[in-house]
Amino acid sequence: MTQRISKSQHFKMQNPFLQFFKFLYLNIKILKIVAGGHGGTRK
């Protein structure tokens, strides 16, 4: 394996806290898009 990723990127990848944060952020973004785009058409 070639060393392509920098130290900071490696640190971010190894940090579960940041992973969790990114996961939450993406979920909220998707939820906002879904809720805003569909306007609650599901009954």
Side-chain angles (χ1 to χ4, degrees):
M1 288 260 299
T2 50
Q3 190 97 29
R4 276 257 173 99
I5 50 170
S6 62
K7 285 245 194 271
S8 62
Q9 274 181 318
H10 188 70
F11 171 73
K12 279 180 199 162
M13 272 166 44
Q14 294 297 319
N15 198 337
F17 232 37
L18 275 172
Q19 294 275 67
F20 184 63
F21 240 62
K22 248 195 275 184
F23 177 70
L24 270 184
Y25 176 69
L26 280 174
N27 267 3
I28 289 164
K29 250 171 99 171
I30 288 163
L31 277 175
K32 267 188 188 169
I33 290 164
V34 169
H38 292 277
T41 48
R42 244 174 61 197
K43 286 171 184 172

